[in-house]
Amino acid sequence: MASATVPLLDDDTIPFGEEDEMRDPSRAGEKYTHPYVTFFHLFFRGAAIVIYMFCGWFSDSFITSFVFVVLFLSADFWTVKNISGRLLVGLRWWNYVDDDGVSHWVFESKNSESYQSRINKHEQRIFWLGLILCPVFWGLFFLMALFGLKFKWLLLVMIAIALNAANLYGYIKCNYGAGKDLNSAATDFVKTQLFKNAMDIMTKPSTAQPPTNVRPTGIV
């Protein structure tokens, strides 16, 4: 879709890609440039999993547990879709309806070298790990609820999978292009991550210290 046909978001206070202009310069040398965003990127989805696993310890009411888990899932979905993806990795996906009533999905990515060089690699790694691992947990919960015949919990798990999978799908499409098949995009993503991890290990400086107690050998 041509960029000229895509309208601006009504609540787009800061244009997409210009978020760095609002960044605090004093955090330029810190390990995490968006510490609060990084924290809440993991907090809401982690809290939903923890509440689901241990809600029976504090309450026997399914309705109470259901409401709290859905609230955290909703907060996580909104935070990841509208804030953390944009600030941590320079990606954004959204939807709009044109004048003819046709719904359009927009997948945006700031792929310029100047912008990518400003992305914090630690935050980028945390973003993708949180985005991928949490749906895996909910997938395990789905199997446990299915084989345990806990159908009321199965409904809650399906809601969690839908919300988590929507963000995962959207950001993979953003990262690898809206026109690319999801299976090939996911394969490329896994290959890229494995290659990056291998390169990090190979290029990591050695911490071994040279021996200090070795005496030179020679003829006395």
Side-chain angles (χ1 to χ4, degrees):
M1 182 183 300
S3 58
T5 63
V6 180
L8 292 176
L9 287 175
D10 294 335
D11 59 348
D12 209 3
T13 306
I14 305 174
F16 181 57
E18 299 182 8
E19 297 85 357
D20 283 347
E21 297 181 3
M22 305 298 294
R23 183 179 298 178
D24 186 359
S26 63
R27 293 187 176 275
E30 295 184 4
K31 184 176 182 179
Y32 297 101
T33 52
H34 303 92
Y36 296 109
V37 176
T38 305
F39 170 78
F40 284 106
H41 174 73
L42 299 176
F43 173 74
F44 289 126
R45 54 183 45 216
I49 292 176
V50 171
I51 293 174
Y52 176 83
M53 294 177 61
F54 302 107
C55 59
W57 292 11
F58 305 100
S59 174
D60 294 330
S61 173
F62 170 74
I63 300 300
T64 302
S65 303
F66 186 94
V67 169
F68 273 98
V69 173
V70 170
L71 283 176
F72 277 102
L73 288 172
S74 302
D76 167 70
F77 178 81
W78 185 90
T79 301
V80 174
K81 179 180 179 296
N82 296 297
I83 300 179
S84 62
R86 179 174 178 172
L87 295 179
L88 301 185
V89 291
L91 304 174
R92 181 174 68 169
W93 65 275
W94 52 287
N95 171 269
Y96 76 96
V97 180
D98 61 20
D99 296 335
D100 297 327
V102 180
S103 179
H104 300 272
W105 293 94
V106 182
F107 304 92
E108 297 177 300
S109 173
K110 292 297 179 182
N111 288 324
S112 63
E113 294 184 3
S114 60
Y115 188 88
Q116 290 295 321
S117 63
R118 295 196 299 267
I119 292 180
N120 187 291
K121 300 305 179 183
H122 298 288
E123 294 177 345
Q124 185 182 47
R125 187 177 296 109
I126 291 175
F127 174 84
W128 286 111
L129 284 176
L131 201 66
I132 294 172
L133 291 180
C134 288
V136 173
F137 280 104
W138 287 113
L140 295 176
F141 295 153
F142 175 84
L143 295 177
M144 294 171 62
L146 179 63
F147 290 109
L149 303 179
K150 300 177 180 179
F151 297 110
K152 60 180 182 180
W153 293 102
L154 192 62
L155 174 62
L156 178 59
V157 173
M158 291 174 65
I159 294 174
I161 291 176
L163 293 175
N164 279 261
N167 268 324
L168 179 60
Y169 175 84
Y171 282 118
I172 288 179
K173 296 284 280 187
C174 289
N175 200 37
Y176 290 98
K180 193 168 186 178
D181 180 69
L182 182 60
N183 291 331
S184 59
T187 302
D188 291 345
F189 174 78
V190 173
K191 291 180 179 179
T192 302
Q193 294 302 313
L194 291 176
F195 177 77
K196 287 182 178 179
N197 291 335
M199 291 300 297
D200 289 342
I201 294 175
M202 294 174 62
T203 57
K204 185 177 181 181
S206 176
T207 58
Q209 298 294 331
T212 58
N213 296 326
V214 176
R215 297 179 178 177
T217 57
I219 300 176
V220 179

